[in-house]
């Protein structure tokens, strides 16, 4: 078992799993509080359907990669890693922007379904809320598994870590439903988000390396530095520290200039944007009242 890739899978499964578990727990708690607990089954139908479709998408993409030969394999793997990095980047900023209003939006959707008498709308609500997290998880894990394929047991370790993370997320979701303050969600999402930015940066650099191997990128292919004698990465029979750094940060003891620049550029740009303070929303004026004139 590769501890480094186990850690990245655990972080991904935990972060994405907690988001999905939080959404489901909000829906179930609201139904229970409004005397509609009899409709729980419809929520579980939508949730299970979303999980099944997400798993099917991930398996289909993984089997597609396995059936390809070089250089098509490198093209597809590089594209899968870039797609995964793009998806997780979008997800991080979407969650950062909408987390404050997500509870109210879910409550409004439940009220509409109950008022209109379209009870299967509850299944659709749960499905659409969970499928986003499920597809994001499948794509991100696909990128991680692809990046881990050059390390012995790396892909299996990533998947095992993801399952462990999802298992912990289910337990936390039950705690949310029961009203327990298991953890500070704002702090949790902030720090796990930072961790995912580093993992995504590694995927971007891995993608650049795949494109270099396929001959698609022909510039900046010279080795930037070589410290394999000091801290080799996993592919070179590296130590536990080298494996951890490669899995979590996309570390390479012999990076090409293009992969190094891609890693640094992504990491700096995304971290600066992600960590900047949120701009407070401008309060809307009272109906019928015009803003005061300035002089």
């Amino acid at each position: 078992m590769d501890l480094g890739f186990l850690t990245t899978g655990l972080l991904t499964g935990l972060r994405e799993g907690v988001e999905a578990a939080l959404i489901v727990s909000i829906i179930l708690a609201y139904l229970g509080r409004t005397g509609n607990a009899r409709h729980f089954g419809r929520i579980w139908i939508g949730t299970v359907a979303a999980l099944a479709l997400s798993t099917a998408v991930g398996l289909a993409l993984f089997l597609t990669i396995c059936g390809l030969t070089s250089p098509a394999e490198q093209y597809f793997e590089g594209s899968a890693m870039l797609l995964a990095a793009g998806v997780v980047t979008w997800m991080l900023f979407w969650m950062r922007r909408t987390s404050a209003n997500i509870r109210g939006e879910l409550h409004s959707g439940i009220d509409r379904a109950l008022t209109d008498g379209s009870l299967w709308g509850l299944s659709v609500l749960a499905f659409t809320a969970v499928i986003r997290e499920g597809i994001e998880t499948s794509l991100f894990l696909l990128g991680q598994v692809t990046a881990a394929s050059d390390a012995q047991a790396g892909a299996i370790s990533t998947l095992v870590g993801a399952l462990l993370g999802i298992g912990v997320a289910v337990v936390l979701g039950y705690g949310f439903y029961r009203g327990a303050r298991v953890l500070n969600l704002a702090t949790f999402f902030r720090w796990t988000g930072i961790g995912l930015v580093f993992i995504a940066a590694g995927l971007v650099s891995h993608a650049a390396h795949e494109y270099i191997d396929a001959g698609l990128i022909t510039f900046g292919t010279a080795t930037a530095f070589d410290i394999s004698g000091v801290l080799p990465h996993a592919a070179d029979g590296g130590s536990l520290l080298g494996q951890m750094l490669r899995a979590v940060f996309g570390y390479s003891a012999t990076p090409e200039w293009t992969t190094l620049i891609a890693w640094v550029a992504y990491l700096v740009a995304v971290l600066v944007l992600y960590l900047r303070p949120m701009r407070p929303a401008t309060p809307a004026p009272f109906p019928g009242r015009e803003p005061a004139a300035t002089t």
Side-chain angles (χ1 to χ4, degrees), residues 24-25 28 39-51 122-123 126:
V24 173
S25 67
L28 293 177
H39 300 309
F40 277 10
R42 299 178 189 274
I43 302 303
W44 291 121
I45 290 174
T47 300
V48 171
L51 294 175
L122 295 173
S123 298

Side-chain angles (χ1 to χ4, degrees), residues 210-236:
E210 292 295 328
Y211 289 146
I212 290 174
D213 281 350
L216 184 63
I217 295 178
T218 57
F219 57 88
T221 59
T223 301
F225 54 79
D226 185 351
I227 56 173
S228 56
V230 179
L231 187 62
H233 58 250
D236 299 325

Side-chain angles (χ1 to χ4, degrees), residues 8 11 23 30 38 109 140 155 173 182 218 222 224 233 242 282:
T8 62
L11 178 60
I23 290 171
Y30 187 69
R38 62 188 182 280
F140 199 35
V182 182
T218 57
H233 58 250
T282 303

